[in-house]
Amino acid sequence: MLINSYSSASAEQLNAESQNLAVIGFDCPITRQSQNQNHIPSGLGRTDASDFVHELWKIKDEPVISGISGLCKWSESGGFLFTSISLTAEECEDLEAATESVYAELLAFINQTEQRNLLRFWNYVPAINKGLGDNENYKLFCNGRLKAFKQAGINDADFPAATAVGNVTGGMTIYAISSVYKGIHHTNNKQQNAYQYPRQYGISSPSFARATSLEHPKGNLLFISGTASIIGHETLHEGDLAAQLQITKDNIFHLLEKTGYEVDSIQTMKVYLRNKSCLEESKKSLDKDFPDAAKIYTIADICRSNLLVEVECYCA
Ligand code: 3EB
């Protein structure tokens, strides 16, 4: 079964462990050297109070094979494939073109493997709120992503669960989990499908599902996408952290209910905070409703500048 956890071990310690599909790093720059390590730099920050150093993905009791193909770093175990590409700041100066080519390469690589069913994408984009209107970086990213998906013949109903937030280091890291097993992509009845958002949110709508689940012989699993204080297509409670957290939790409860997962099936919650000052209130709010889930609090810009917090979940 696919296991997600958080670790306080160093990169050196984790490099010596052979069973990790992926070791995700925080508070470290996206450089050329980082391409060669068994380590994926997220570009995200941590808060001073953080007791984690890395995020880990592994398969219980299964060997891992890994390699590099072009820009793709990949690892494979138990029917799951983890693939990532990182670009330095200079390499993503034209963000739309860079995103399109990264997605084209990731999708082409994944599609020629046995694990070609897309389950989950993470997108850590530079200065995501920089630029005005249709030139905001998030919107340029959405243009590049949608072009690559279309070019690969992947349409709305096939988009997997995802997160897209702004990193704090510059550069861009995109990573994906795919599988030999086909996932089921879910909508949120309280939210408009992101791929059908109206024109005001950009030329290209965001290409993701609200959640993706998998019925797996060794146990079912569910990825809940980055979830925020949005109802319909509108941001609610601008500037009010407590209220944004409540809407976010309501959306997560709805997705759990719709997909048939219990609250205590949530293994991990990865929380993205626009400001360090959001930490205490967010912890209080999430610990109250999800006491048993392991949580990390990262510093990231949320893709809409009026959102303070976003939360994703992995359930198994
Ligand atoms: C939203 O619901 C908030 O563009 O891949 C959440 C998860 C969000 C994924 C993406 C964006 C993405 O529209 C933002």
Side-chain angles (χ1 to χ4, degrees):
M1 188 25 105
L2 184 62
I3 298 168
N4 180 212
S5 63
Y6 306 118
S7 168
S8 57
S10 69
E12 294 70 38
Q13 287 171 302
L14 294 169
N15 270 340
E17 293 181 359
S18 57
Q19 77 274 29
N20 293 314
L21 262 182
V23 175
I24 318 287
F26 300 84
D27 282 323
C28 53
I30 300 172
T31 62
R32 257 309 116 211
Q33 280 96 315
S34 57
Q35 311 292 315
N36 301 321
Q37 299 161 6
N38 172 26
H39 182 271
I40 298 163
S42 66
L44 303 186
R46 294 174 302 165
T47 67
D48 302 335
S50 299
D51 55 4
F52 72 97
V53 180
H54 292 102
E55 171 189 348
L56 305 181
W57 290 91
K58 62 180 86 180
I59 307 279
K60 201 171 183 305
D61 302 329
E62 296 263 7
V64 175
I65 1 176
S66 60
I68 294 183
S69 172
L71 290 180
C72 294
K73 287 210 286 191
W74 60 269
S75 58
E76 188 226 297
S77 178
F80 291 90
L81 174 70
F82 196 101
T83 314
S84 72
I85 293 183
S86 291
L87 297 185
T88 63
E90 300 76 59
E91 290 169 327
C92 40
E93 258 161 36
D94 181 342
L95 188 62
E96 181 170 331
T99 303
E100 185 180 355
S101 71
V102 163
Y103 259 87
E105 184 166 348
L106 282 170
L107 295 172
F109 175 77
I110 294 167
N111 195 45
Q112 49 85 44
T113 68
E114 287 172 30
Q115 300 84 4
R116 67 175 66 83
N117 298 294
L118 304 177
L119 301 180
R120 182 64 164 99
F121 270 88
W122 286 265
N123 305 278
Y124 296 138
V125 177
I128 201 164
N129 301 131
K130 192 177 148 213
L132 290 174
D134 288 341
N135 287 318
E136 188 187 26
N137 275 353
Y138 177 57
K139 292 170 185 142
L140 299 176
F141 162 83
C142 284
N143 291 344
R145 174 173 59 177
L146 183 60
K147 278 189 205 160
F149 269 133
K150 278 192 175 155
Q151 188 65 34
I154 298 168
N155 298 308
D156 292 2
D158 304 316
F159 295 150
T163 296
V165 296
N167 64 38
V168 295
T169 57
M172 176 159 68
T173 288
I174 299 181
Y175 57 89
I177 295 176
S178 58
S179 166
V180 297
Y181 311 99
K182 209 167 158 47
I184 304 165
H185 307 303
H186 301 275
T187 59
N188 176 339
N189 300 352
K190 294 161 165 284
Q191 296 183 319
Q192 186 154 3
N193 298 332
Y195 45 79
Q196 293 168 330
Y197 279 167
R199 174 66 181 86
Q200 72 204 73
Y201 297 101
I203 294 171
S204 309
S205 296
S207 316
F208 69 99
R210 299 297 180 186
T212 297
S213 64
L214 183 64
E215 289 177 15
H216 186 277
K218 292 189 180 164
N220 299 341
L221 56 86
L222 172 72
F223 296 101
I224 295 185
S225 292
T227 301
S229 179
I230 295 173
I231 296 291
H233 58 76
E234 271 167 324
T235 298
L236 260 53
H237 306 303
E238 191 167 343
D240 182 343
L241 178 62
Q244 287 202 5
L245 283 160
Q246 189 57 53
I247 302 288
T248 302
K249 293 192 293 187
D250 291 347
N251 277 318
I252 290 172
F253 285 131
H254 167 75
L255 287 166
L256 289 170
E257 197 184 321
K258 195 175 173 188
T259 55
Y261 281 74
E262 303 288 340
V263 170
D264 66 7
S265 73
I266 302 179
Q267 304 293 305
T268 54
M269 300 181 98
K270 191 173 185 181
V271 184
Y272 303 94
L273 304 175
R274 181 175 293 280
N275 304 307
K276 288 185 183 184
S277 60
C278 299
L279 179 65
E280 288 314 316
E281 175 100 52
S282 301
K283 267 191 171 161
K284 208 171 77 188
S285 172
L286 295 170
D287 283 342
K288 179 167 169 285
D289 286 293
F290 309 101
D292 299 328
K295 304 174 198 77
I296 56 172
Y297 295 85
T298 69
I299 302 299
D301 290 331
I302 319 302
C303 67
R304 290 187 186 186
S305 53
N306 54 15
L307 288 169
L308 295 167
V309 62
E310 184 172 307
V311 182
E312 66 185 41
C313 309
Y314 175 66
C315 305

